């Protein structure tokens, strides 16, 4: 069962990687701000329908799965280090700092939608909960889930100045991303934002606020993942099938809530509906996938997802390389013009290729290149291995 459990986690990570790529497609295609202001772009009826489909079914509902797996894997990794008598928090600090550094490089030199730097910060934050009991993690997760959901109540009114700043930014982004050089795109990405104002103090306060509250806003699924690992979830999948079926019942509820939030008129409850719908869908997707995995784990589809999941870091960065080349001006320049149908087709071609190439890569190598670099830095070993340390045993000589 231990082997099947690991296979399931890797396969679920592969599925979430596909979902994240589909969600990120909106950012690649329209920009991190333009994706929510789709009226600035000319979409056909088909593309508009596909856009709504991604917003309801995909966006915001696969990242929490990846978040859940991050928390789950954190506990498993800590147990592995502890079993080899390693310094758990010391190793994890190095790992998360490396992840944060890689994320900064990714965001600075390649793409604006990076999540690695944030995950590095979250990993350090989660060390506060590493030694907590499962019950404590669930309680904290539920409290933060309710609080973060409540923050979505109300409608944010934009001033005329804010609307003008956003409009100018989206139009400028379109021009630069579609036909600009690499240096022009990098400069725009790193130095301009509709959130920034001429008031440096206001801008600094906004950045500080985001850094302080981001961990609290996203922590529930991290904590639930940690609790699941401590509770040995997915170790005996045949005994957990009833829970998988129960979670599947959240699927229509989640779809309904997100549909109302995205397709309906904006109200004070829109933010709450979208938050709850996204989280419910995440749980439903995990349960549905576990149910299917238990029955069809030997299929080529699951083997492909498992392979992609094992190389998730390398595949995630390579997705940025390919998609920025397709959409940005220094590549094919398809920003804002390729269309949703063609873009989704591109995503599936890319992901199928990643599944197949990951499968054959793992026939020869144990880990991906970026996974190996993180592992080497974490364990301070050229081979990436954490050497088990022998416990010192004091032998006392008994004098008779």
């Amino acid at each position: 069962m231990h082997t099947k459990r690991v296979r399931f986690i890797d396969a679920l990570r592969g599925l979430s990687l596909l979902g994240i790529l589909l969600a990120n497609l909106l950012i690649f295609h329209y920009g991190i701000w333009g994706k929510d202001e789709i009226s600035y772009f000319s979409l056909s009826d088909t593309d508009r329908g596909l856009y709504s489909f991604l917003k309801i079914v995909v966006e915001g509902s696969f990242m929490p799965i990846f978040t859940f797996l991050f928390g789950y894997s954190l506990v498993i990794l800590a147990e592995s280090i502890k079993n080899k008598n390693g310094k758990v928090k010391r190793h994890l600090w190095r790992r998360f700092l490396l992840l944060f550094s890689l994320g900064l490089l990714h965001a600075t030199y390649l793409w604006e939608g990076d999540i690695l730097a944030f995950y590095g910060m979250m990993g350090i934050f989660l060390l506060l909960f590493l030694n907590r009991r499962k019950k404590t993690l669930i309680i904290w997760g539920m409290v933060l889930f309710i609080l973060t959901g409540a923050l979505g109540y109300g409608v944010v009114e934009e001033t005329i100045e804010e609307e003008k700043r956003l409009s100018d930014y989206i139009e400028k982004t379109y021009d630069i991303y579609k036909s600009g050089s690499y240096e022009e795109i990098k400069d725009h990405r790193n130095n301009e934002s509709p959130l920034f104002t001429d008031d440096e103090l206001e801008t600094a306060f906004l950045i500080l606020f985001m850094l302080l509250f981001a961990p609290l806003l996203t922590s529930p699924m991290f904590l639930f993942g940690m609790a699941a690992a401590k509770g040995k979830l997915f170790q005996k999948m045949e005994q957990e099938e009833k829970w998988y079926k129960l979670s599947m019942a959240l699927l229509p509820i989640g779809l309904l809530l997100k549909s109302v939030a995205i397709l309906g008129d904006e109200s004070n409850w829109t933010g709450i509906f979208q938050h709850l719908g996204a989280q419910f869908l995440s749980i439903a997707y995990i349960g549905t996938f576990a149910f299917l995995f238990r029955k069809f784990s030997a299929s080529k589809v699951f083997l492909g997802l498992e392979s992609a999941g094992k190389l998730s870091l390398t595949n995630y960065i390579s997705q940025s390389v390919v998609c920025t080349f397709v959409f940005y001006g220094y590549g094919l320049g398809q920003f804002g013009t390729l269309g949703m149908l063609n873009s989704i087709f591109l995503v599936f071609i890319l992901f199928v290729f990643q599944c197949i190439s990951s499968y054959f890569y793992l026939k020869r190598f144990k880990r991906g290149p970026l996974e190996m670099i993180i592992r080497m830095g974490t364990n301070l070993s050229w081979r990436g291995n954490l050497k088990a340390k022998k416990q010192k045993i004091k032998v006392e000589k008994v004098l008779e």
Side-chain angles (χ1 to χ4, degrees), residues 264-279:
D265 295 329
E266 188 175 16
S267 70
N268 289 331
W269 292 93
T270 297
I272 293 180
F273 287 164
Q274 189 160 354
H275 173 77
L276 291 177
Q279 305 302 314

Side-chain angles (χ1 to χ4, degrees), residues 271-288:
I272 293 180
F273 287 164
Q274 189 160 354
H275 173 77
L276 291 177
Q279 305 302 314
F280 288 166
L281 276 183
S282 298
I283 297 171
Y285 289 158
I286 292 173
T288 303

Side-chain angles (χ1 to χ4, degrees), residues 164 178 186 241 316 336 380:
K164 178 68 165 57
K178 183 168 180 59
K186 181 168 74 70
E241 188 169 320
Y316 171 72
L380 297 181

Side-chain angles (χ1 to χ4, degrees), residues 1 235-244 294:
M1 292 310 302
Q235 284 197 20
K236 298 180 180 180
M237 298 188 73
E238 72 282 357
Q239 299 177 12
E240 299 169 352
E241 188 169 320
K242 62 180 180 181
W243 298 110
Y244 304 156
R294 207 182 80 74

